[in-house]
Amino acid sequence: MLDYKFIKDNLDVVKQNIKNRNMSADADAVVQLYDKRTSLVTQLQSFQQKRNENANAMKSKINDAVRKTLIEAGKQLKDDIAAAEKELSQTESALEEAARKIPNMAHPKAPIGKVDSENLEVKKVGNVRSFSFKPKDHVALGEALDIIDFERGTKVSGQKFYYLKNEAVFLEQALIMYALNILRKHGFTPFITPDLAKQEVLQGIGFNPRGNESNVYCIEDENTCLVATAEITLGGYHSGEILEKSKLPLLYCGLSHCFRREAGAAGHFSKGLYRVHQFDKVEMFVYCLPEQSDELHEKLRQIEEEIFSGLGIPFRVVDTCTGDLGAPAYRKWDLEAWMPGRSDEAHPAGDWGEVTSTSNCTDYQARRLGVKYKDDDGKNKFVHMLNGTAIAVGRAMLAILENYQNEDGSVTIPDALKQLCGFDKIAPKHEV
């Protein structure tokens, strides 16, 4: 969350930022509650001082009448302190709840817009393939190649679940190892993270565990949720800790299952592997000094570009607009791969679809989670935290199947994955 004093001192800027992000939050209420809390703290301290003075007076030589007066005053002060503490606690809870709705400030260069169509294209990498035949989408290919079973996934688990089988099992593992090997080269410490996290960790990262709009699955009566990304578990790893400045930045990567309700998600291009309730992902996460975060954000994006360039998948980079940033992000880059299966009247040859993103969340998450470092001046300060997708396996597999398909219905494996897969082509088991 943002610092309360920052909100008070920059109220108009904060309110404009909320508007630019197309979000609903009451910055005025935060300032009012912040001022009320300050007043209550002062009042409580005054009561406590009077209580101490009263206690000291009781220790001196006094007559019975004075002692009786002091005892009555002490009782009243006890009641006053209890009432003030209760009101302060309620005010602090209300202040925190209101402040959590305030999004992070956006980077000055982040394009202002409400929806993802207003994201700013920065560059394109690779050449979009021109097919000599009508390409199929990954759903048709997966079924014909007998490597993805959506029908039985729905029968057993429900909509937006699926089985991977045959060569797709090895392709998934190859994509994971491919990404991990690149991250190892860049000095990342690898993790396999838990599938569950406490609700307070999710809230600290910026996920809402409750309500109809929540995108996570909560475990009833357990105060825990299935993780939607390893960003949650890697971000919570150092919660409540003071990190050594000399050891920053910390570069972590985590392999995890990801579970998402995808509440409200629909549309023609959400089918198949693009938007599912469970998938595997390798996530990058960084703890760093404030002055390091901009440069490291560029590094995360470059690693994502390296991964997809190595796979030979055409992609473009977009600077995410304010309305599509998400509350914790200061700035976010998305990589959108070319997906031939996204063909329609408006885009007969296909269209772009997001495959990775990387966000600089500055100290927004660290402030919620209490992750600090001791600076040279001896003061504890909040670290900056960043995250980025190395490989979201389902979407990467989607892009490979659609871009590497052949006229005979087979799919060629990208060179970077052939040795890891143990085969160079997936042949159809029945007619596409």
Side-chain angles (χ1 to χ4, degrees):
M1 64 177 65
L2 294 178
D3 178 66
Y4 299 144
K5 190 174 186 304
F6 176 87
I7 297 172
K8 177 180 172 66
D9 293 344
N10 301 273
L11 182 58
D12 289 341
V13 176
V14 171
K15 289 166 76 171
Q16 184 61 48
N17 181 64
I18 295 169
K19 182 179 179 181
N20 289 345
R21 285 174 171 262
N22 198 33
M23 297 182 70
S24 177
D26 193 343
D28 288 317
V30 172
V31 173
Q32 290 166 8
L33 288 164
Y34 175 64
D35 288 342
K36 183 179 180 181
R37 186 190 72 165
T38 302
S39 176
L40 287 169
V41 168
T42 302
Q43 184 186 58
L44 179 59
Q45 289 172 342
S46 175
F47 287 146
Q48 289 168 337
Q49 183 180 352
K50 289 177 181 176
R51 178 190 61 189
N52 294 338
E53 291 170 352
N54 184 277
N56 289 332
M58 290 281 287
K59 295 175 184 177
S60 61
K61 292 181 179 180
I62 53 176
N63 59 41
D64 290 344
V66 174
R67 183 177 298 278
K68 183 178 180 181
T69 301
L70 290 174
I71 290 173
E72 290 302 318
K75 289 180 179 178
Q76 183 60 52
L77 283 167
K78 183 180 179 182
D79 291 342
D80 290 341
I81 288 171
E85 286 176 338
K86 181 179 179 181
E87 188 175 6
L88 177 60
S89 176
Q90 292 171 341
T91 301
E92 286 181 331
S93 295
L95 173 59
E96 182 177 350
E97 184 178 352
R100 283 183 180 276
K101 296 175 183 176
I102 306 289
N104 199 359
M105 300 303 294
H107 190 287
K109 292 185 179 179
I112 296 174
K114 293 184 177 182
V115 293
D116 58 5
S117 59
E118 297 175 88
N119 293 344
L120 179 65
E121 182 181 300
V122 175
K123 66 175 176 179
K124 289 180 180 174
V125 177
N127 298 313
V128 171
R129 179 180 171 188
S130 179
F131 291 89
S132 60
F133 58 94
K134 182 174 175 54
K136 304 290 192 270
D137 66 27
H138 73 284
V139 175
L141 287 164
E143 291 174 350
L145 295 169
D146 196 26
I147 58 173
I148 311 173
D149 195 329
F150 295 103
E151 183 180 342
R152 290 184 176 86
T154 299
K155 180 180 74 172
V156 172
S157 302
Q159 290 288 335
K160 296 187 180 294
F161 287 95
Y162 58 96
Y163 285 86
L164 293 181
K165 56 188 294 195
N166 296 322
E167 292 95 336
V169 175
F170 296 94
L171 179 56
E172 161 144 340
Q173 298 304 310
L175 282 165
I176 290 169
M177 284 306 303
Y178 167 69
L180 288 174
N181 283 333
I182 289 176
L183 295 175
R184 175 165 52 183
K185 178 186 71 175
H186 285 284
F188 284 74
T189 300
F191 290 79
I192 295 178
T193 76
D195 287 339
L196 289 174
K198 295 177 180 178
Q199 289 189 14
E200 55 262 34
V201 175
L202 272 81
Q203 289 174 327
I205 289 294
F207 281 80
N208 175 21
R210 304 179 188 89
N212 293 332
E213 295 181 1
S214 175
N215 200 27
V216 296
Y217 293 100
C218 284
I219 309 301
E220 191 174 358
D221 300 326
E222 293 290 338
N223 194 41
T224 56
C225 301
L226 293 171
V227 299
T229 166
E231 175 192 351
I232 294 167
T233 39
L234 293 176
Y237 190 74
H238 288 298
S239 60
E241 297 181 19
I242 299 174
L243 307 178
E244 290 186 36
K245 182 178 181 181
S246 61
K247 292 185 177 179
L248 297 175
L250 297 174
L251 307 180
Y252 292 164
C253 63
L255 169 62
S256 75
H257 302 303
C258 303
F259 302 90
R260 301 188 182 183
R261 292 179 62 237
E262 297 296 358
H268 176 58
F269 297 131
S270 292
K271 69 177 184 179
L273 294 175
Y274 190 79
R275 200 174 295 281
V276 291
H277 289 315
Q278 179 184 340
F279 60 97
D280 289 341
K281 178 158 70 84
V282 178
E283 180 79 2
M284 301 179 285
F285 200 89
V286 174
Y287 297 86
C288 69
L289 301 173
E291 59 267 26
Q292 298 172 328
S293 67
D294 283 339
E295 183 178 349
L296 285 165
H297 193 206
E298 291 295 312
K299 178 182 177 71
L300 295 186
R301 192 194 78 206
Q302 289 165 6
I303 291 172
E304 291 177 347
E305 292 184 22
E306 178 184 349
I307 288 170
F308 275 85
S309 293
L311 292 174
I313 302 292
F315 65 87
R316 67 175 185 173
V317 179
V318 299
D319 194 353
T320 308
C321 74
T322 52
D324 196 36
L325 274 177
Y330 170 66
R331 196 177 199 184
K332 181 161 78 85
W333 305 105
D334 284 351
L335 258 65
E336 298 180 348
W338 182 252
M339 299 179 178
R342 286 195 162 205
S343 59
D344 58 17
E345 239 180 82
H347 308 92
D351 202 1
W352 305 100
E354 181 192 337
V355 286
T356 73
S357 66
T358 175
S359 300
N360 181 359
C361 297
T362 62
D363 63 358
Y364 188 86
Q365 294 171 324
R367 192 175 297 277
R368 292 179 171 209
L369 291 167
V371 188
K372 301 178 180 179
Y373 69 98
K374 187 177 290 295
D375 207 353
D376 297 336
D377 59 8
K379 295 180 179 178
N380 294 332
K381 300 176 181 177
F382 290 104
V383 300
H384 277 199
M385 294 161 68
L386 303 91
N387 64 81
T389 307
I391 281 283
V393 177
R395 293 190 181 186
M397 190 179 296
L398 180 166
I400 288 170
L401 293 176
E402 293 189 358
N403 282 282
Y404 279 89
Q405 62 180 296
N406 303 307
E407 191 169 6
D408 64 0
S410 66
V411 171
T412 302
I413 300 299
D415 290 341
L417 301 179
K418 286 179 179 177
Q419 186 173 357
L420 292 166
C421 281
F423 49 85
D424 57 12
K425 185 178 284 191
I426 306 174
K429 311 308 189 287
H430 51 83
E431 225 177 281
V432 181

